[in-house]
Amino acid sequence: PETSAIKGYRLFRLFGFDVKLNLTWLLLGLLITWTLAAELFPTDYPGLAVSTYWWMGVAGAIGILFSIVFHELSHSLVARHFGLPMGGITLFIFGGVAEMKEEPVNPKVEFLMAVAGPLLGLHIPPLLIVGMVVFSGAFSVLSLPKLIGLGKRSGNDGGRHA
């Protein structure tokens, strides 16, 4: 049986890797949900029902959970490509960890493993924005600057996007 320094409950299996959740991630998920539901969404999208903000917060936390899974998965897939045995992926309060069973064989492999997660992360926001514009009638191309935080903020609008 596999042993890991960080214990977790198995959520699912992805590309042969067990994805586990350590209970400490629940605290992170609650903090993310609360921050989005109580502060960010009511400020940026005023006038919605309180329950809507909380559901948006939950969706945001789930989105962050999956972005961490994909980040760690990219490290694991690169390691597997170079023949390194990998354990599962565990999500915990500080994010996630791809569990290596052995150290990389040379600096090149270690570098490629290290940059795989951030490089994947650069592709997620543009894909989500394109998907939102293509598949949702709720947003238009004109709202893209606000969605990605490029709308102007001024001192006399309460800090909201212009």
Side-chain angles (χ1 to χ4, degrees):
E2 259 179 54
T3 57
S4 169
I6 302 172
K7 301 294 180 198
Y9 295 94
R10 184 174 179 223
L11 297 177
F12 52 88
R13 194 163 174 83
L14 187 62
F15 295 106
F17 300 104
D18 284 338
V19 177
K20 296 172 283 190
L21 182 77
N22 181 278
L23 292 179
T24 60
W25 200 91
L26 296 177
L27 178 60
L28 178 63
L30 287 172
L31 289 172
I32 292 167
T33 301
W34 174 67
T35 301
L36 294 174
E39 293 294 326
L40 182 71
F41 292 143
T43 300
D44 285 353
Y45 304 99
L48 301 176
V50 172
S51 62
T52 302
Y53 295 128
W54 282 99
W55 282 114
M56 291 167 67
V58 168
I62 291 170
I64 289 173
L65 181 137
F66 278 101
S67 72
I68 295 169
V69 168
F70 289 123
H71 174 97
E72 297 302 330
L73 179 66
S74 64
H75 293 305
S76 298
L77 291 172
V78 170
R80 181 192 287 165
H81 173 77
F82 286 103
L84 287 171
M86 296 295 288
I89 294 168
T90 303
L91 307 171
F92 68 114
I93 195 163
F94 297 115
V97 63
E99 301 163 7
M100 295 190 311
K101 293 183 176 184
E102 295 177 12
E103 291 295 318
V105 294
N106 62 51
K108 175 186 173 186
V109 172
E110 188 166 2
F111 173 76
L112 293 173
M113 284 175 53
V115 301
L119 287 177
L120 175 76
L122 292 174
H123 292 84
I124 291 174
L127 291 174
L128 290 175
I129 290 170
V130 167
M132 210 167 25
V133 170
V134 170
F135 297 110
S136 174
F139 300 104
S140 70
V141 175
L142 296 176
S143 67
L144 276 177
K146 182 176 180 181
L147 289 172
I148 59 176
L150 297 178
K152 292 182 180 178
R153 292 181 183 255
S154 66
N156 45 351
D157 69 352
R160 290 189 202 95
H161 290 281

